[in-house]
Amino acid sequence: MDDSYYYGEDGLRCEDVVLSEIAGSVGTPTYVYSYGALEKAYREIDEAFSGLDHMVCYAVKANSNLSVLHALASFGAGADIVSGGELYRAMKAGFDPKKVVFAGVGKTEDELVAGLGERILLFNVESASELEHLERFAARHGKRARVSLRVNPDVHPETHAHVSTGHGASKFGIPVEEALALAERVGEYRCVDLIGVHQHIGSQITKLAPYAESVEKSAQLVDELKHRGFDIKYFNIGGGLGIRYKDEEAPSPRELVDAIRPILEALGTGGTKILCEMGRYIAGNAGVLLTRVIYRKRSGGKNFLVADAGMNDLLRPSLYDAYHEVRPVQDGAAAVPADLVGPVCESGDYLARDRDLPDAAEGDLLALMSAGAYGFSMASNYNSRPRPAEVLVKGDRWAVVREREHLADLVKGELVPAFL
Ligand SMILES: *Cc1c(COP(=O)(O)O)cnc(C)c1O
């Protein structure tokens, strides 16, 4: 639990705000984010790179709320985006386009053109075809495209298969062997400048060795490209640093950077700036999901706590079998072996399974900890459930930063044609 969350006399707090007050006022389910925790995590990463020419980009997909983005932009962060929608959000939140890097295997024409229009810092190109398209659109619109090649260093990050991107058989990146051939082709392009190398091997990485190995492999490519006359100004090591959800021993940003510092320093001496793009590490422990227990029941010899939040609000337990700590908002509840499940009509709809959970009564509030990353951003309207409200806390102040959806939002844009 991040130390922005702690128990006071009046129960669990986020910074100086009592969580039951937020739930009472805004209802549940509600995501709550700590401004202080966001800032602390961002600065921790930034300071880990001190002494190196670097920029910390925030991976927008982890938590793309405008206020969260606005806070990160104000700390000086860059933005790592993976869609035109994220570009739109990043621009609205005030990120400097000169600090925006754009990744993704399937960028469409509209997305590439939008990025060119904003003159973003770098497109992280993932295939020969994408590079060709970028050249064509840049020429058509009279723009230049600054490009990093996203290489696939073929390293297994030892994380969940769904969030593992850096092994040979993944759809992401260009094999190191092919990257050199592709680079040579860039010479034929008039509107593309190859100025970077990018890698991102996966998410929730808790082991240093594969991360360091991948950086070493990709850095060799940087050296080789420089040797061949390319002015590689940027080396992007990606994101993916893991956080503690339960008892994981994830390396700190400093431990990560120190493990690869000699490699990064050598590149720095050659004029290459280091980029990273962390999402989960910045937002994960800064957020919780507040939910209320609606019913308790026993079935098949098991205890069930039925909450008003479900897999549509927080997908990670169902999708990745992820663990989120469950805390009572009022301290002191005994533990009970139980499942915490949601109201969605799927057996896979659970928030915590076969666990010792707070012995909460109907009506009690629970907090799902470490829900700030890939929480709301993966929420859906499945079962026609309005998505939760989002609240940002800063010191003793708090504000709703996204309203709970209304029923009318559920059918927004839907049309019934005249032939019905
Ligand atoms: C998702 C993603 C990230 C961020 O991953 P985290 O695990 O949240 O740090 C960084 N870079 C790219 C290209 C991504 O797709």
Side-chain angles (χ1 to χ4, degrees):
M1 185 161 84
D2 186 89
D3 49 11
S4 301
Y5 294 90
Y6 62 97
Y7 286 97
E9 277 169 22
D10 30 23
L12 190 59
R13 291 171 161 228
C14 173
E15 302 194 22
D16 301 329
V17 176
V18 180
L19 288 176
S20 56
E21 178 193 324
I22 294 175
S25 165
V26 182
T28 50
T30 291
Y31 278 97
V32 179
Y33 311 126
S34 157
Y35 176 95
L38 290 169
E39 179 168 26
K40 194 181 81 179
Y42 167 76
R43 301 231 182 270
E44 205 188 331
I45 300 169
D46 192 44
E47 279 157 24
F49 284 96
S50 63
L52 292 159
D53 186 15
H54 72 279
M55 176 168 75
V56 178
C57 295
Y58 169 64
V60 170
K61 73 175 185 287
N63 184 326
S64 43
N65 182 279
L66 272 187
S67 291
V68 170
L69 299 182
H70 185 92
L72 267 306
S74 77
F75 304 152
D80 162 53
I81 59 167
V82 293
S83 72
E86 288 190 353
L87 176 62
Y88 173 78
R89 281 180 177 277
M91 294 300 96
K92 253 189 135 49
F95 279 99
D96 180 352
K98 288 271 155 327
K99 292 184 171 180
V100 172
V101 297
F102 194 167
V105 286
K107 304 179 196 79
T108 63
E109 172 169 357
D110 285 353
E111 291 176 319
L112 293 172
V113 169
L116 289 167
E118 297 290 353
R119 301 174 194 278
I120 61 167
L121 180 66
L122 284 166
F123 290 90
N124 295 329
V125 165
E126 306 218 12
S127 64
S129 303
E130 184 186 343
L131 199 58
E132 238 166 72
H133 280 72
L134 202 47
E135 160 73 7
R136 188 143 36 89
F137 304 144
R140 187 183 300 161
H141 294 271
K143 295 271 165 35
R144 293 207 72 77
R146 283 172 294 279
V147 161
S148 273
L149 292 184
R150 176 172 182 174
V151 294
N152 182 334
D154 195 13
V155 165
H156 208 289
E158 297 176 39
T159 180
H160 192 285
H162 291 183
V163 294
S164 167
T165 57
H167 55 289
S170 112
K171 71 175 176 179
F172 295 99
I174 300 160
V176 178
E177 318 80 68
E178 287 168 35
L180 285 173
L182 191 56
E184 294 301 344
R185 277 177 43 197
V186 173
E188 301 159 23
Y189 292 146
R190 289 179 302 119
C191 302
V192 170
D193 299 317
L194 174 58
I195 58 168
V197 168
H198 170 236
Q199 65 151 39
H200 171 69
I201 63 165
S203 196
Q204 184 55 15
I205 300 167
T206 54
K207 302 232 165 71
L208 271 182
Y211 209 127
E213 191 192 331
S214 69
V215 166
E216 197 174 332
K217 278 195 178 181
S218 302
Q220 279 167 10
L221 178 67
V222 176
D223 284 336
E224 180 58 29
L225 286 170
K226 283 184 173 175
H227 184 69
R228 296 189 184 197
F230 291 94
D231 184 13
I232 303 299
K233 296 190 174 78
Y234 299 95
F235 176 43
N236 185 340
I237 68 167
L241 188 58
I243 61 170
R244 178 172 294 184
Y245 286 101
K246 187 183 177 189
D247 50 12
E248 301 91 335
E249 295 287 341
S252 68
R254 184 163 297 275
E255 286 167 327
L256 169 65
V257 175
D258 285 351
I260 54 178
R261 189 172 275 276
I263 303 171
L264 303 184
E265 271 172 357
L267 293 175
T269 313
T272 300
K273 182 169 178 153
I274 308 303
L275 309 183
C276 76
E277 36 189 39
M278 298 297 172
R280 189 188 310 272
Y281 193 87
I282 293 173
N285 279 324
V288 302
L289 175 60
L290 288 180
T291 182
R292 207 177 275 283
V293 175
I294 316 173
Y295 300 117
R296 285 191 62 146
K297 63 185 276 186
R298 264 191 80 80
S299 178
K302 285 180 74 164
N303 297 309
F304 289 94
L305 304 178
V306 184
D308 64 2
M311 64 187 287
N312 72 295
D313 304 301
L314 179 63
L315 184 60
R316 299 188 68 259
S318 301
L319 185 62
Y320 308 127
D321 202 21
Y323 180 100
H324 286 271
E325 190 184 351
V326 180
R327 293 242 167 197
V329 169
Q330 294 307 329
D331 201 5
V336 61
D339 284 12
L340 179 64
V341 300
V344 173
C345 301
E346 297 266 348
S347 318
D349 175 32
Y350 64 91
L351 299 169
R353 198 156 62 173
D354 294 326
R355 295 256 296 270
D356 281 330
L357 295 176
D359 194 4
E362 295 182 358
D364 283 359
L365 288 167
L366 297 173
L368 285 131
M369 309 306 293
S370 309
Y374 306 103
F376 187 92
S377 64
M378 292 180 95
S380 78
N381 291 120
Y382 187 43
N383 276 213
S384 284
R385 290 168 48 79
R387 284 181 296 172
E390 294 176 283
V391 164
L392 184 69
V393 174
K394 185 182 182 192
D396 59 2
R397 288 177 293 173
W398 64 273
V400 173
V401 293
R402 191 181 208 275
E403 290 177 11
R404 183 178 311 288
E405 283 181 333
H406 300 286
L407 293 176
D409 296 324
L410 294 175
V411 292
K412 184 168 174 250
E414 288 182 32
L415 301 166
V416 179
F419 55 74
L420 280 187

